[in-house]
Amino acid sequence: MRSQVLEQHAVQGFGHFLIGRTDAEVQRRAAPLHVKSALPPEDPVVGSPAQLVEPLGEFSAIGASRIHLRLIDFNDLDHLELIAGEALPQL
């Protein structure tokens, strides 16, 4: 199980996590993902806090105690509070 989860995410790549309380909030946060970049494409999690919990829960289930979340806008403190207040407590 552990190697399957790690292999899946190593192949797909874990990118940005963009969650929101509403669809409009999610779309506002996801807008920078549509800007052309020289970097390889990522597989972001875009949606509700519950949609972030699912992939993080896979890591938690195999014993991970830490994970690095990449945020696009470091000034969006509400996004950080949403992750910390609604997603992470579910793990």
Side-chain angles (χ1 to χ4, degrees), residues 13-18 33 37 39-45 52 67-74 79 83:
F14 247 59
H16 296 280
F17 294 88
L18 303 156
L33 294 178
S37 172
L39 299 174
E42 296 178 344
D43 189 18
V45 173
L52 173 61
I67 190 163
H68 175 82
L69 300 178
R70 293 177 55 191
L71 300 174
I72 291 177
D73 183 358
F74 292 108
H79 193 202
I83 292 168

Side-chain angles (χ1 to χ4, degrees), residues 33-55:
L33 294 178
H34 304 292
V35 175
K36 289 189 178 193
S37 172
L39 299 174
E42 296 178 344
D43 189 18
V45 173
V46 179
S48 68
Q51 289 170 296
L52 173 61
V53 170
E54 183 179 339

Side-chain angles (χ1 to χ4, degrees), residues 1-2 5-10 13-14 17 52-67 91:
M1 169 74 173
R2 179 181 215 165
V5 172
L6 293 175
E7 183 178 313
Q8 173 191 0
H9 293 296
F14 247 59
F17 294 88
L52 173 61
V53 170
E54 183 179 339
L56 293 183
E58 292 179 14
F59 283 108
S60 180
I62 61 170
S65 60
R66 295 182 184 170
I67 190 163
L91 296 173

